[in-house]
Amino acid sequence: MAKIGIFTGTVYGNALLVAEEAEPVLKAQGHEVKVFEEATLADWQAYSSDVALVVTSTTGQGDFPDSIAGLHQQIRDQLGHQPALRYGVIALGDSSYDNFCGAGKTFDATLQDQQAQRIGEVLLVDAAENPEPESVTTPWVEQWGKLL
């Protein structure tokens, strides 16, 4: 089974809640899982040949929450090519705002540019339709974990 790091970007705690809900689902499938709230580049690099699941909300005009903004910038500016990395993205947002799920989409684009291998499709969760995001994310996580 896979070694998975779940990297969260959250302001009000929803992304962290989603990550904490995903952890036991993936562990039940036999994966080794660790959740990171304020990950460092070294934390990310520890999974460079394994699997990363990015769970992030979006702030402002499609911006990253502070808890993951620095990590994204370091990945973008310092890592470059990451072909051994497999990853998934759960993006939380509100469709009433411009740049819906912008942070998750940007993180995905960065990893695609670096030749990382996305597993499955990016999950876009709309707070306007799903005030309890785990009702949407848990079934997605179950399916995603099976693809690893």
Side-chain angles (χ1 to χ4, degrees), residues 20-33:
E20 290 172 342
E21 293 278 333
E23 182 179 21
V25 171
L26 294 168
K27 283 184 174 179
Q29 293 178 346
H31 300 296
E32 178 186 329
V33 185

Side-chain angles (χ1 to χ4, degrees), residues 78-120:
Q78 297 177 28
L79 292 188
H81 203 55
Q82 298 189 75
L85 176 70
R86 295 182 296 155
Y87 76 95
V89 176
I90 297 175
L92 307 178
D94 185 326
S95 62
S96 66
Y97 289 90
D98 292 338
N99 301 309
F100 170 61
C101 289
K105 290 175 182 176
T106 300
F107 216 122
D108 175 58
T110 296
L111 296 176
Q112 286 288 292
D113 288 346
Q114 295 179 342
Q115 307 299 306
Q117 304 168 51
R118 185 176 66 223
I119 306 299

